[in-house]
Amino acid sequence: MLFEYLRPPSLGDLLPSRDAFKYLERGMRFVGWMPPSRDHPSYWKYWVYAFLVTGLSGAYLPFGFFISYFVNFRGFTPGDFLTSIQVSFNSACLGVKIAIILPNLWRFEKIKNLLDILDRPCFQEGAGEDIHRCVARCNFIYMVYQIAYASYTVLTCMSSFLTGSTPWGIYIPFLDYRSSTQAFWLAACMESVMGAAAVSMDQFIDVYAVIFGIVLRNHLKLLIRRVERLRKNQSESDDENYAKLVNCIKDHKNILEFSEVNRPIVTGPIFAQFLVIGLCLGLGMVNLLFFSTIWTGLATSVFIMVLMIQTFPFCFISELIADDCMDLTHAIFHSDWASASKRYKVTLAFFLHQTQQPIAFVAGGIFPICMRTNIEMAKLAFTVVTVVKQMNIVEKLN
């Protein structure tokens, strides 16, 4: 079933945390990022397919954009040029993201194994429905991202077909789309396929960080609830209470490992996106304000929305994760430990010390991933618009 992983929880049929990435894995397999096992009969065919898709959409696309500005610059209208160039910088950023993601694909299997370990005590203590709801929420968010990114692709292609130009003006060797109707449709179809694949890859990388953040927060909250229940059951012995405390410490260690394994996959792409978000937003706003028709305006509006959801959601989630870490520290301190044994108190003090440092993410070792950084980077868009107006670039392009 297509919506199987969006269903509400039902007794005896609960989804594990690893299924939060189910739809994402299907998409990554489609673009060639999830190869089958080596003994699979289509193993080498899949690698050839992956090389073609990733090579054309991830590696060639940025060069295709910039070559077209030298070869076909006079053929661009101002609107077509801005529609192309606002995406060209984002496609260059995509190439950097892919270069970060592909060497780290081995981490996905380790991440799922860690989630299985984190799920075990949660299911044992009756928190399976909370995990299931988190999984359904993550897959729903993936579908929202899918609709947003696909809408941009569809609107851009439709507006270009209606105006008689190719979607992004990518340079295709030995093919001039102005030479004939057949050449136009061939070039438009080739651009549409390459562009759709590139947009999909961008979507997979961007939505992964959001899903990871939601899953991490869910396990932090479940751990907080378990800590709050420590020594609440009067019928349990000191050894049983101590064993539960030790298990909470182990789960916290696994949560930290889960965040560390994900750190390169999350911080690297966001760092690359931070570097170009202001420029891309500024060019998109200039296109929307001065050169857009109804159809290109719709496509550009969706493009601006897509740019915002590339960084904003995880920056927001990152701050919530830091708050959850502080809540965990408070839960440990306010737990019922006053009448516990010395062994329990010493272990609790060690646990409290381990949670003093919140889980934080820094993009490229430079930019803290938080709302303030995201806003500062996005504010560069207004600088771009101001420069364009002050230098009369709009009149020159017209």
Side-chain angles (χ1 to χ4, degrees), residues 10-84:
S10 57
L11 187 63
D13 188 19
L14 300 175
L15 298 173
S17 293
R18 63 162 51 215
D19 284 345
F21 301 94
K22 183 62 70 172
Y23 292 154
L24 177 62
E25 285 183 3
R26 291 178 179 176
M28 293 173 72
R29 187 175 295 112
F30 181 75
V31 297
W33 290 359
M34 287 288 178
S37 59
R38 188 175 291 272
D39 56 349
H40 194 276
S42 300
Y43 178 76
W44 292 110
K45 294 179 181 178
Y46 185 87
W47 274 110
V48 173
Y49 167 78
F51 177 79
L52 289 174
V53 174
T54 306
L56 288 174
S57 300
Y60 172 74
L61 205 61
F63 294 102
F65 276 114
F66 291 107
I67 291 173
S68 67
Y69 303 147
F70 293 98
V71 177
N72 299 322
F73 185 76
R74 292 184 179 276
F76 282 105
T77 65
D80 290 340
F81 176 68
L82 284 172
T83 299
S84 176

Side-chain angles (χ1 to χ4, degrees), residues 18 108-118 120:
R18 63 162 51 215
F108 288 106
E109 194 61 34
K110 187 173 183 179
I111 287 164
K112 290 188 287 186
N113 293 334
L114 283 171
L115 286 175
D116 292 338
I117 296 172
L118 288 169
R120 199 171 298 126

Side-chain angles (χ1 to χ4, degrees), residues 378-391:
K379 281 167 62 176
L380 294 174
F382 298 101
T383 304
V384 174
V385 176
T386 302
V387 169
V388 168
K389 292 181 66 177
Q390 292 294 327
M391 297 182 65

Side-chain angles (χ1 to χ4, degrees), residues 59-363:
Y60 172 74
L61 205 61
F63 294 102
F65 276 114
F66 291 107
I67 291 173
S68 67
Y69 303 147
F70 293 98
V71 177
N72 299 322
F73 185 76
R74 292 184 179 276
F76 282 105
T77 65
D80 290 340
F81 176 68
L82 284 172
T83 299
S84 176
I85 199 169
Q86 71 190 15
V87 181
S88 64
F89 290 104
N90 210 50
S91 69
C93 176
L94 173 62
V96 176
K97 290 180 181 179
I98 293 174
I100 295 170
I101 289 293
L102 291 184
N104 288 292
L105 287 177
W106 61 272
R107 295 176 183 269
F108 288 106
E109 194 61 34
K110 187 173 183 179
I111 287 164
K112 290 188 287 186
N113 293 334
L114 283 171
L115 286 175
D116 292 338
I117 296 172
L118 288 169
D119 280 356
R120 199 171 298 126
C122 299
F123 278 103
Q124 291 172 354
E125 298 191 12
E129 288 191 3
D130 296 283
I131 292 176
H132 182 106
R133 291 190 187 95
C134 176
V135 170
R137 190 181 309 120
C138 290
N139 286 309
F140 175 76
I141 289 172
Y142 172 85
M143 297 297 286
V144 172
Y145 269 71
Q146 180 77 61
I147 292 170
Y149 281 67
S151 297
Y152 165 69
T153 305
V154 171
L155 287 171
T156 302
C157 293
M158 286 181 60
S159 63
S160 68
F161 296 158
L162 291 173
T163 57
S165 60
T166 53
W168 294 282
I170 304 168
Y171 175 73
I172 300 176
F174 313 112
L175 183 61
D176 181 7
Y177 77 90
R178 301 178 186 84
S179 61
S180 65
T181 304
Q182 292 81 2
F184 166 76
W185 284 109
L186 179 59
C189 291
M190 292 177 67
E191 279 194 27
S192 300
V193 171
M194 286 192 294
V199 170
S200 297
M201 292 176 186
D202 213 9
Q203 173 209 335
F204 301 149
I205 297 172
D206 296 334
V207 77
Y208 177 83
V210 179
I211 294 175
F212 152 71
I214 293 173
V215 172
L216 177 59
R217 284 202 69 210
N218 186 58
H219 278 285
L220 278 171
K221 288 182 174 296
L222 292 176
L223 179 58
I224 291 171
R225 282 162 49 180
R226 291 172 60 199
V227 169
E228 291 173 343
R229 291 197 300 267
L230 288 174
R231 291 178 53 80
K232 294 295 184 181
N233 191 346
Q234 300 297 327
S235 63
E236 292 179 342
S237 65
D238 288 341
D239 289 337
E240 289 174 330
N241 288 322
Y242 182 76
K244 285 190 173 183
L245 175 61
V246 171
N247 288 334
C248 288
I249 295 174
K250 290 179 179 178
D251 286 339
H252 181 254
K253 180 183 177 182
N254 289 328
I255 288 174
L256 293 179
E257 185 179 0
F258 175 67
S259 64
E260 287 301 317
V261 172
N262 278 282
R263 194 176 297 274
I265 306 176
V266 172
T267 58
I270 289 184
F271 173 69
Q273 196 63 48
F274 275 159
L275 296 179
V276 300
I277 185 173
L279 181 59
C280 293
L281 277 174
L283 292 171
M285 291 171 63
V286 170
N287 190 13
L288 183 64
L289 292 172
F290 302 111
F291 298 105
S292 291
T293 62
I294 294 177
W295 286 104
T296 57
L298 284 173
T300 304
S301 299
V302 176
F303 175 72
I304 292 173
M305 181 190 70
V306 165
L307 286 175
M308 295 302 296
I309 65 176
Q310 284 182 322
T311 55
F312 171 80
F314 185 73
C315 288
F316 181 67
I317 291 172
S318 181
E319 292 193 352
L320 295 179
I321 290 171
D323 293 339
D324 291 335
C325 292
M326 295 305 298
D327 290 341
L328 176 60
T329 301
H330 296 156
I332 296 169
F333 181 77
H334 292 290
S335 64
D336 185 13
W337 53 267
S339 59
S341 63
K342 182 178 180 180
R343 179 182 65 165
Y344 186 95
K345 291 179 180 178
V346 170
T347 307
L348 187 79
F350 169 79
F351 190 16
L352 187 63
H353 175 72
Q354 292 298 107
T355 59
Q356 290 296 304
Q357 187 68 29
I359 299 173
F361 300 94
V362 181

